[in-house]
Amino acid sequence: MTTETLQIDVQPIAKSRIDEVDFDNLVFGKHHADHMFVADYVNGEWTDLKIIPYGDLSLSPATAALHYGQALFEGMKAYKNDANEVLMFRPLDNLARLNRSAERMCMPTIPESIFMDGLTTLLRLDAAWVPTQPDCSLYVRPYMFATDPYIGVRPSDTYKFVIFCSPVGKYYAKPPRVKVETEYIRAAEGGFGFAKCAGNYGGSLNPTRLAQEQGYDQLIWTDAREHKYIEESGTMNLMFVIDGVLVTPAISDTILDGVTRKSIIDIAKYWGMEVQERRVSVDEVIGAIQEAKLEAAFGAGTAVVVSPFAAIAHQGIDYTLPEITEESFTNKVYHYLSDLRMGKVADPFGWVIKA
Ligand code: COI
């Protein structure tokens, strides 16, 4: 079976694994849908496009990505509308970011036709895996890595691009408690903090684990020079509602340009709310908590969607944050975004695309 637009060789699974999954108790990242899209970059072009049953990849022990970290990924979500059609949310924004990451990591970019045809063919084939349960979705994980079986330090000549999907529920079961990190850093100016590359996540694991041992769920990363300004969190961008204004650190080369973050900014503006993208100091946020001006602090990301924090810890003090009310911006934007993605409300932004 071959699709008409691009030559994608589709090899369907003999027997679906979908009955093995309890869709009423989905855990993030545990189950993977039946198929995956795979393309190989060889001799300067993407070739051998195929959809095959989800399964192990065979790799040389010398695979370049495993040694020098030429590896990057994206995170997107697909939903179903009432007519049972599969909807994608801003996939071209993810592709644009993937290609920005690729350029920084000296990797090839992915043409739109390959990305979109691979993605839509995969989503149509695995449409049954898109959950319809509340707060659930099909998480889509495109990623690329260097495949040269060579351990000299240089950019690889060959790469593999894969997309697989996972039915998921909420990323955080309850509002996370986050700690302001003032010892370790995530990214520095001129580095690659803006890129969604594997190393940015690998380097965050030990500081995050140390915080978890102290009873926190995640970190709030601060700037590398002074530990004074808020950057992002391990799994999300950071946003605050202070005195009725949506305040968020401006995108820079140390901060990931989150698709959920920029969607929330556009929605807030559409609703007539003031939005400030700028430097946000830790002192400003702690001061706003102390003066009862901070209405909410939350993480925004594909995986976490909108995730209000229960507490922020700084210099050994835990600051408990206000409960999220029905009427709060956080609650309203979460539900609006969910409704938009599931086609339950009109889409004035043109963000939702049928697979
Ligand atoms: C996402 O939100 O898609 C992410 O990539 C965050 C994370 C699960 C690593």
Side-chain angles (χ1 to χ4, degrees), residues 31-105:
H31 299 288
H32 310 302
D34 281 332
H35 299 92
M36 59 186 185
F37 172 75
V38 182
D40 287 297
Y41 187 81
V42 184
N43 296 328
E45 61 179 1
W46 288 103
T47 172
D48 197 17
L49 315 185
K50 53 183 184 263
I51 289 184
I52 53 178
Y54 176 91
D56 293 348
L57 300 168
S58 165
L59 298 176
S60 157
T63 297
L66 302 178
H67 301 268
Y68 307 123
Q70 271 190 298
L72 52 84
F73 68 97
E74 273 300 319
M76 307 162 43
K77 277 180 174 170
Y79 298 79
K80 262 190 190 158
N81 63 13
D82 289 342
N84 228 22
E85 294 165 318
V86 178
L87 305 177
M88 304 175 287
F89 187 74
R90 306 188 75 171
L92 292 175
D93 291 75
N94 287 92
L95 173 63
R97 188 174 62 186
L98 185 147
N99 283 338
R100 288 199 296 277
S101 303
E103 275 163 18
R104 181 62 179 85
M105 301 305 288

Side-chain angles (χ1 to χ4, degrees), residues 260-271:
T260 308
R261 173 192 175 278
K262 65 184 180 188
S263 303
I264 293 172
I265 289 173
D266 287 350
I267 292 168
K269 288 181 180 167
Y270 179 71
W271 286 347

Side-chain angles (χ1 to χ4, degrees), residues 28 73-76 139 141 171 196 201 234-235 301-304:
F28 188 93
F73 68 97
E74 273 300 319
M76 307 162 43
Y139 184 80
R141 173 52 64 90
Y171 193 87
K196 208 160 172 65
Y201 294 80
T235 47
T302 299
V304 303

Side-chain angles (χ1 to χ4, degrees), residues 11 14 23 32 71 76 83 98 123 142 163 199 203 244-245 292 297 332 341 353:
Q11 301 166 27
F23 276 73
H32 310 302
M76 307 162 43
L98 185 147
L123 288 176
I163 309 177
V245 178
K332 283 203 288 201
R341 288 163 151 176
I353 301 177

Side-chain angles (χ1 to χ4, degrees), residues 179 183-184 205-216:
K179 179 190 156 189
E183 185 182 348
Y184 298 97
L205 296 178
N206 190 42
T208 307
R209 189 176 57 186
L210 294 174
Q212 285 166 349
E213 284 167 4
Q214 295 167 1
Y216 304 104

